[in-house]
Amino acid sequence: MKRISVLLAGLMISAGALAASADSVTVQNPYVRLAPPNAPATAAFMVLKNDGDKDVKVMKADNPTSKLTELHTHINDNGVMKMRPVAAIEIKAKGEAKLQPGGLHVMLINLKAPMKEGDVVPITLTFDDGSSKVVDAKVMKPVAAGMPAMEHKH
Amino acid sequence: MSEKILLGIVAFLTTLLIGLGFFWNPELPERVLPQAGMAAGGEFTLESAKGPVSLKDYRGKLVLVYFGYTYCPDICPTSLAGTAAGLNLLDPDELAQVAVIFVSVDPERDTPARLKEYVEFFHPSMVGVTGTPENLAEIAKRYGAFYARQPVEAAGGYVVDHSSETYVVGREGQMLSKIAHAAPPDEVAAEIRRRLK
Ligand SMILES: [Cu+2]
């Protein structure tokens, strides 16, 4: 009997794990934009895909390279770009959220040390159910809009 | 007679339409970028790491002017990377006829020395300048550029909302056109070539 309950508990844990937000979200093309010299902040971009059946929210982000990590967006108000924090980034069921230049981003504020191209920044995303996921984002030089950062060759 | 009435009606309707065009403004009152016509632009002198920089120092060259700040984590790098990539599409002869001036509207944090390193990261031919808040406000107004400090509890204490277009100034210092934010490099290069002719 005891063995069965342990087994059951184990099953429930794995079922719970399967349903966790972190597991239904996959991350594509994560990168951190290399901060120009003297720029104290930079942004990380990625595409978050939700393969699950329910909407998921990213509630916060953390990373070891900056003192602060925040979720931000840009509002384009007649050509005036306004950057504002957002409480969460929603990823619809079977949908995706695009974090890209000019829009949503993970903001890395007050960098502890200068970065260099090719560094990898582990960014921890925490979801609304408390589950989390670490995304390894490579540091890439800023490129012009429409130029995919990942296709930079050397 | 009926023709006169008809003409009268047409004239009345036309006046009404023109009136509507003038007065009907669905935009927010905050609207700052006139879509039709260019701002006056004109002369300015600001401080670079190598001393004062005036627009008139660049007579004979096409000058791209951009208003931003180095704490800007996304918009400015995208604009400057686009401009730099556009410059890289020019041949050396064309490039020699173009200057890029990055005007920081955040003089409290952006010293000329900081600005120099910042802009040269994007392209060696870019010049970074700033000045007193009063001077900057007056220049930005003439160029039709908008910026406003926002006390957002983020991004190092405050963020600066700002217009994100690049102004194209002609060889005689006259305002010519604007390049949209995030314009791809080939568009930047095409606009430069168009204006160099
Ligand atoms: Cu931001």
Side-chain angles (χ1 to χ4, degrees):
Chain A
M1 192 58 207
K2 197 176 176 196
R3 206 176 280 170
I4 290 170
S5 59
V6 168
L7 192 70
L8 272 175
L11 276 173
M12 277 161 75
I13 287 166
S14 48
L18 276 177
S21 298
D23 293 310
S24 58
V25 173
T26 51
V27 179
Q28 294 176 339
N29 207 6
Y31 68 98
V32 170
R33 179 140 61 183
L34 176 62
N38 299 324
T42 191
F45 305 102
M46 64 195 75
V47 178
L48 299 166
K49 284 198 180 250
N50 180 3
D51 302 316
D53 297 320
K54 56 180 205 291
D55 299 352
V56 163
K57 277 180 185 163
V58 179
M59 302 306 290
K60 70 181 186 103
D62 286 296
N63 93 95
T65 66
S66 65
K67 289 189 185 130
L68 280 168
T69 315
E70 294 180 358
L71 306 175
H72 284 182
T73 194
H74 274 102
I75 301 157
N76 184 341
D77 184 3
N78 281 300
V80 176
M81 300 303 278
K82 302 181 169 184
M83 186 170 77
R84 297 288 181 272
V86 292
I89 293 173
E90 187 172 45
I91 320 160
K92 292 274 183 211
K94 305 287 179 200
E96 61 179 35
K98 277 193 181 138
L99 279 60
Q100 60 189 8
L104 289 167
H105 55 276
V106 174
M107 177 97 165
L108 283 51
I109 304 161
N110 294 338
L111 300 170
K112 292 173 189 166
M115 313 180 147
K116 58 181 195 304
E117 208 179 350
D119 285 355
V120 173
V121 179
I123 298 171
T124 306
L125 303 176
T126 305
F127 298 92
D128 44 355
D129 64 352
S131 63
S132 63
K133 186 178 205 78
V134 179
V135 178
D136 283 329
K138 213 170 171 188
V139 176
M140 317 282 296
K141 266 195 178 150
V143 293
M147 306 275 124
M150 286 322 243
E151 280 166 27
H152 236 213
K153 287 199 204 92
H154 292 275
Chain B
M1 187 60 202
S2 68
E3 215 173 60
K4 238 181 193 171
I5 293 170
L6 205 66
L7 268 174
I9 291 170
V10 168
F12 172 71
L13 284 177
T14 309
T15 315
L16 197 72
L17 267 174
I18 291 171
L20 267 176
F22 265 105
F23 296 110
W24 187 61
N25 184 358
E27 310 282 352
L28 295 167
E30 217 181 343
R31 190 177 74 131
V32 287
L33 295 175
Q35 290 308 303
M38 292 296 304
E43 214 34 67
F44 60 79
T45 301
L46 289 163
E47 205 59 37
S48 81
K50 289 178 185 159
V53 164
S54 298
L55 183 63
K56 64 175 186 298
D57 301 341
Y58 297 93
R59 279 296 176 278
K61 285 194 182 196
L62 194 73
V63 186
L64 306 184
V65 182
Y66 185 82
F67 294 84
Y69 65 115
T70 70
Y71 267 57
C72 171
D74 177 13
I75 303 305
C76 303
T78 298
S79 282
L80 294 175
T83 301
L87 294 180
N88 289 337
L89 294 175
L90 302 175
D91 61 45
D93 186 49
E94 290 168 324
L95 185 59
Q97 301 173 60
V98 182
V100 181
I101 302 178
F102 177 86
V103 180
S104 170
V105 295
D106 187 10
E108 197 175 299
R109 296 186 293 193
D110 288 341
T111 61
R114 275 180 77 104
L115 282 168
K116 181 180 190 297
E117 260 193 281
Y118 179 85
V119 297
E120 287 178 0
F121 169 80
F122 292 96
H123 200 281
S125 75
M126 289 187 187
V127 178
V129 296
T130 192
T132 63
E134 299 73 31
N135 200 0
L136 291 165
E138 191 274 321
I139 296 162
K141 195 174 174 198
R142 270 194 282 124
Y143 274 75
F146 170 86
Y147 63 93
R149 263 172 76 148
Q150 295 298 328
V152 172
E153 286 294 312
Y158 66 89
V159 299
V160 182
D161 296 345
H162 64 110
S163 50
S164 46
E165 283 136 326
T166 302
Y167 300 96
V168 183
V169 178
R171 298 180 200 265
E172 302 304 318
Q174 77 282 24
M175 179 76 95
L176 291 176
S177 62
K178 289 188 283 194
I179 299 173
H181 171 63
D186 55 338
E187 271 181 34
V188 174
E191 180 61 15
I192 291 171
R193 288 192 171 121
R194 191 175 307 133
R195 300 300 177 178
L196 274 177
K197 276 177 189 151

